[in-house]
PDB file of all heavy atoms in Angstrom:
ATOM      1  N   VAL W 111     -49.053  -4.448  52.834  1.00 93.00           N
ATOM      2  CA  VAL W 111     -48.813  -2.999  52.709  1.00 93.00           C
ATOM      3  C   VAL W 111     -50.048  -2.199  53.107  1.00 93.00           C
ATOM      4  O   VAL W 111     -51.082  -2.581  52.905  1.00 93.00           O
ATOM      5  CB  VAL W 111     -48.562  -2.845  51.165  1.00 93.00           C
ATOM      6  CG1 VAL W 111     -48.682  -1.180  50.890  1.00 93.00           C
ATOM      7  CG2 VAL W 111     -47.246  -3.312  50.612  1.00 93.00           C
ATOM      8  N   LYS W 112     -49.692  -1.058  53.852  1.00 93.00           N
ATOM      9  CA  LYS W 112     -50.866  -0.243  54.301  1.00 93.00           C
ATOM     10  C   LYS W 112     -50.608   1.153  53.612  1.00 93.00           C
ATOM     11  O   LYS W 112     -49.775   1.883  53.829  1.00 93.00           O
ATOM     12  CB  LYS W 112     -50.835   0.042  55.726  1.00 93.00           C
ATOM     13  CG  LYS W 112     -51.232  -1.300  56.531  1.00 93.00           C
ATOM     14  CD  LYS W 112     -51.319  -1.116  58.061  1.00 93.00           C
ATOM     15  CE  LYS W 112     -51.762  -2.386  58.825  1.00 93.00           C
ATOM     16  NZ  LYS W 112     -51.645  -1.989  60.276  1.00 93.00           N
ATOM     17  N   TRP W 113     -51.646   1.466  52.589  1.00 91.00           N
ATOM     18  CA  TRP W 113     -51.546   2.585  51.923  1.00 91.00           C
ATOM     19  C   TRP W 113     -51.715   3.956  52.666  1.00 91.00           C
ATOM     20  O   TRP W 113     -51.081   4.921  52.424  1.00 91.00           O
ATOM     21  CB  TRP W 113     -52.488   2.670  50.697  1.00 91.00           C
ATOM     22  CG  TRP W 113     -52.266   1.508  49.736  1.00 91.00           C
ATOM     23  CD1 TRP W 113     -53.025   0.534  49.398  1.00 91.00           C
ATOM     24  CD2 TRP W 113     -50.952   1.357  48.957  1.00 91.00           C
ATOM     25  NE1 TRP W 113     -52.581  -0.404  48.542  1.00 91.00           N
ATOM     26  CE2 TRP W 113     -51.319   0.117  48.108  1.00 91.00           C
ATOM     27  CE3 TRP W 113     -49.892   2.023  48.719  1.00 91.00           C
ATOM     28  CZ2 TRP W 113     -50.383  -0.390  47.248  1.00 91.00           C
ATOM     29  CZ3 TRP W 113     -48.966   1.421  47.792  1.00 91.00           C
ATOM     30  CH2 TRP W 113     -49.215   0.454  47.087  1.00 91.00           C
ATOM     31  N   ASN W 114     -52.706   3.719  53.580  1.00 90.00           N
ATOM     32  CA  ASN W 114     -52.929   5.120  54.400  1.00 90.00           C
ATOM     33  C   ASN W 114     -51.753   5.550  55.211  1.00 90.00           C
ATOM     34  O   ASN W 114     -51.585   6.796  55.448  1.00 90.00           O
ATOM     35  CB  ASN W 114     -54.192   4.773  55.311  1.00 90.00           C
ATOM     36  CG  ASN W 114     -53.998   3.638  56.244  1.00 90.00           C
ATOM     37  OD1 ASN W 114     -53.047   2.920  56.088  1.00 90.00           O
ATOM     38  ND2 ASN W 114     -54.880   3.275  57.074  1.00 90.00           N
ATOM     39  N   SER W 115     -50.886   4.576  55.859  1.00 91.00           N
ATOM     40  CA  SER W 115     -49.845   4.931  56.672  1.00 91.00           C
ATOM     41  C   SER W 115     -48.507   4.917  55.891  1.00 91.00           C
ATOM     42  O   SER W 115     -47.470   5.263  56.515  1.00 91.00           O
ATOM     43  CB  SER W 115     -49.770   4.218  57.903  1.00 91.00           C
ATOM     44  OG  SER W 115     -49.678   2.748  57.490  1.00 91.00           O
ATOM     45  N   HIS W 116     -48.538   4.329  54.620  1.00 92.00           N
ATOM     46  CA  HIS W 116     -47.393   4.231  53.791  1.00 92.00           C
ATOM     47  C   HIS W 116     -46.295   3.360  54.572  1.00 92.00           C
ATOM     48  O   HIS W 116     -45.124   3.789  54.608  1.00 92.00           O
ATOM     49  CB  HIS W 116     -46.749   5.723  53.504  1.00 92.00           C
ATOM     50  CG  HIS W 116     -47.454   6.315  52.341  1.00 92.00           C
ATOM     51  ND1 HIS W 116     -46.832   7.088  51.437  1.00 92.00           N
ATOM     52  CD2 HIS W 116     -48.645   6.168  51.761  1.00 92.00           C
ATOM     53  CE1 HIS W 116     -47.692   7.590  50.509  1.00 92.00           C
ATOM     54  NE2 HIS W 116     -48.786   7.105  50.742  1.00 92.00           N
ATOM     55  N   THR W 117     -46.758   2.258  55.064  1.00 93.00           N
ATOM     56  CA  THR W 117     -45.848   1.393  55.780  1.00 93.00           C
ATOM     57  C   THR W 117     -46.092  -0.037  55.197  1.00 93.00           C
ATOM     58  O   THR W 117     -47.187  -0.361  54.680  1.00 93.00           O
ATOM     59  CB  THR W 117     -46.208   1.354  57.322  1.00 93.00           C
ATOM     60  OG1 THR W 117     -47.544   0.979  57.568  1.00 93.00           O
ATOM     61  CG2 THR W 117     -45.858   2.599  57.965  1.00 93.00           C
ATOM     62  N   CYS W 118     -45.073  -0.897  55.313  1.00 94.00           N
ATOM     63  CA  CYS W 118     -45.155  -2.312  54.910  1.00 94.00           C
ATOM     64  C   CYS W 118     -44.545  -3.212  55.956  1.00 94.00           C
ATOM     65  O   CYS W 118     -43.632  -2.729  56.677  1.00 94.00           O
ATOM     66  CB  CYS W 118     -44.631  -2.413  53.556  1.00 94.00           C
ATOM     67  SG  CYS W 118     -42.805  -2.129  53.385  1.00 94.00           S
ATOM     68  N   SER W 119     -44.738  -4.397  55.785  1.00 95.00           N
ATOM     69  CA  SER W 119     -44.282  -5.411  56.714  1.00 95.00           C
ATOM     70  C   SER W 119     -43.673  -6.530  55.893  1.00 95.00           C
ATOM     71  O   SER W 119     -44.314  -7.214  54.978  1.00 95.00           O
ATOM     72  CB  SER W 119     -45.259  -5.971  57.616  1.00 95.00           C
ATOM     73  OG  SER W 119     -44.663  -7.064  58.442  1.00 95.00           O
ATOM     74  N   LEU W 120     -42.362  -6.948  56.152  1.00 96.00           N
ATOM     75  CA  LEU W 120     -41.750  -7.974  55.322  1.00 96.00           C
ATOM     76  C   LEU W 120     -41.073  -8.945  56.264  1.00 96.00           C
ATOM     77  O   LEU W 120     -40.637  -8.730  57.441  1.00 96.00           O
ATOM     78  CB  LEU W 120     -40.523  -7.327  54.469  1.00 96.00           C
ATOM     79  CG  LEU W 120     -40.962  -6.270  53.523  1.00 96.00           C
ATOM     80  CD1 LEU W 120     -39.677  -5.632  52.843  1.00 96.00           C
ATOM     81  CD2 LEU W 120     -41.802  -6.742  52.481  1.00 96.00           C
ATOM     82  N   ALA W 121     -41.224 -10.177  55.782  1.00 95.00           N
ATOM     83  CA  ALA W 121     -40.597 -11.430  56.621  1.00 95.00           C
ATOM     84  C   ALA W 121     -39.142 -11.345  56.404  1.00 95.00           C
ATOM     85  O   ALA W 121     -38.663 -11.394  55.168  1.00 95.00           O
ATOM     86  CB  ALA W 121     -41.327 -12.715  56.176  1.00 95.00           C
ATOM     87  N   THR W 122     -38.433 -11.431  57.388  1.00 95.00           N
ATOM     88  CA  THR W 122     -36.933 -11.500  57.283  1.00 95.00           C
ATOM     89  C   THR W 122     -36.328 -12.487  58.104  1.00 95.00           C
ATOM     90  O   THR W 122     -37.023 -13.249  58.966  1.00 95.00           O
ATOM     91  CB  THR W 122     -36.313 -10.241  57.594  1.00 95.00           C
ATOM     92  OG1 THR W 122     -36.430  -9.906  58.975  1.00 95.00           O
ATOM     93  CG2 THR W 122     -36.925  -9.018  56.814  1.00 95.00           C
ATOM     94  N   VAL W 123     -34.895 -12.680  58.266  1.00 95.00           N
ATOM     95  CA  VAL W 123     -34.327 -13.610  59.106  1.00 95.00           C
ATOM     96  C   VAL W 123     -34.514 -13.284  60.469  1.00 95.00           C
ATOM     97  O   VAL W 123     -34.305 -14.034  61.424  1.00 95.00           O
ATOM     98  CB  VAL W 123     -32.852 -13.748  58.791  1.00 95.00           C
ATOM     99  CG1 VAL W 123     -32.564 -14.261  57.374  1.00 95.00           C
ATOM    100  CG2 VAL W 123     -32.196 -12.294  58.855  1.00 95.00           C
ATOM    101  N   GLU W 124     -34.836 -12.021  60.864  1.00 93.00           N
ATOM    102  CA  GLU W 124     -35.092 -11.484  62.202  1.00 93.00           C
ATOM    103  C   GLU W 124     -36.476 -11.354  62.551  1.00 93.00           C
ATOM    104  O   GLU W 124     -36.940 -10.518  63.337  1.00 93.00           O
ATOM    105  CB  GLU W 124     -34.251 -10.199  62.528  1.00 93.00           C
ATOM    106  CG  GLU W 124     -32.768 -10.332  62.415  1.00 93.00           C
ATOM    107  CD  GLU W 124     -32.308 -11.219  63.433  1.00 93.00           C
ATOM    108  OE1 GLU W 124     -32.912 -11.274  64.604  1.00 93.00           O
ATOM    109  OE2 GLU W 124     -31.208 -11.893  63.209  1.00 93.00           O
ATOM    110  N   GLY W 125     -37.390 -12.063  61.729  1.00 92.00           N
ATOM    111  CA  GLY W 125     -38.828 -11.892  61.960  1.00 92.00           C
ATOM    112  C   GLY W 125     -39.446 -10.829  61.159  1.00 92.00           C
ATOM    113  O   GLY W 125     -38.742 -10.323  60.172  1.00 92.00           O
ATOM    114  N   ARG W 126     -40.568 -10.311  61.412  1.00 94.00           N
ATOM    115  CA  ARG W 126     -41.335  -9.269  60.655  1.00 94.00           C
ATOM    116  C   ARG W 126     -40.617  -7.892  60.931  1.00 94.00           C
ATOM    117  O   ARG W 126     -40.352  -7.565  62.041  1.00 94.00           O
ATOM    118  CB  ARG W 126     -42.718  -9.240  61.029  1.00 94.00           C
ATOM    119  CG  ARG W 126     -43.470 -10.329  60.463  1.00 94.00           C
ATOM    120  CD  ARG W 126     -43.918  -9.956  58.993  1.00 94.00           C
ATOM    121  NE  ARG W 126     -44.822 -11.067  58.511  1.00 94.00           N
ATOM    122  CZ  ARG W 126     -45.722 -10.800  57.477  1.00 94.00           C
ATOM    123  NH1 ARG W 126     -45.576  -9.598  56.873  1.00 94.00           N
ATOM    124  NH2 ARG W 126     -46.414 -11.911  57.090  1.00 94.00           N
ATOM    125  N   VAL W 127     -40.326  -7.231  59.825  1.00 94.00           N
ATOM    126  CA  VAL W 127     -39.767  -5.978  59.913  1.00 94.00           C
ATOM    127  C   VAL W 127     -40.686  -4.902  59.239  1.00 94.00           C
ATOM    128  O   VAL W 127     -41.325  -5.088  58.166  1.00 94.00           O
ATOM    129  CB  VAL W 127     -38.460  -5.872  59.115  1.00 94.00           C
ATOM    130  CG1 VAL W 127     -37.925  -4.410  59.010  1.00 94.00           C
ATOM    131  CG2 VAL W 127     -37.363  -6.686  59.845  1.00 94.00           C
ATOM    132  N   HIS W 128     -41.142  -3.828  59.892  1.00 95.00           N
ATOM    133  CA  HIS W 128     -42.082  -2.837  59.532  1.00 95.00           C
ATOM    134  C   HIS W 128     -41.340  -1.695  58.989  1.00 95.00           C
ATOM    135  O   HIS W 128     -40.405  -1.024  59.760  1.00 95.00           O
ATOM    136  CB  HIS W 128     -43.017  -2.293  60.731  1.00 95.00           C
ATOM    137  CG  HIS W 128     -43.831  -3.500  61.192  1.00 95.00           C
ATOM    138  ND1 HIS W 128     -45.096  -3.800  60.663  1.00 95.00           N
ATOM    139  CD2 HIS W 128     -43.545  -4.424  62.198  1.00 95.00           C
ATOM    140  CE1 HIS W 128     -45.494  -4.940  61.429  1.00 95.00           C
ATOM    141  NE2 HIS W 128     -44.531  -5.278  62.261  1.00 95.00           N
ATOM    142  N   LEU W 129     -41.552  -1.209  57.771  1.00 94.00           N
ATOM    143  CA  LEU W 129     -40.695  -0.277  57.167  1.00 94.00           C
ATOM    144  C   LEU W 129     -41.620   0.870  56.532  1.00 94.00           C
ATOM    145  O   LEU W 129     -42.834   0.531  56.225  1.00 94.00           O
ATOM    146  CB  LEU W 129     -40.004  -0.794  55.902  1.00 94.00           C
ATOM    147  CG  LEU W 129     -39.070  -2.044  56.219  1.00 94.00           C
ATOM    148  CD1 LEU W 129     -38.746  -2.855  54.900  1.00 94.00           C
ATOM    149  CD2 LEU W 129     -37.790  -1.430  56.829  1.00 94.00           C
TER     150      LEU W 129
END
Side-chain angles (χ1 to χ4, degrees):
V111 172
K112 291 183 178 179
W113 298 116
N114 53 357
S115 60
H116 280 208
T117 57
C118 63
S119 173
L120 303 176
T122 69
V123 292
E124 296 295 332
R126 286 277 184 162
V127 173
H128 298 271
L129 305 160

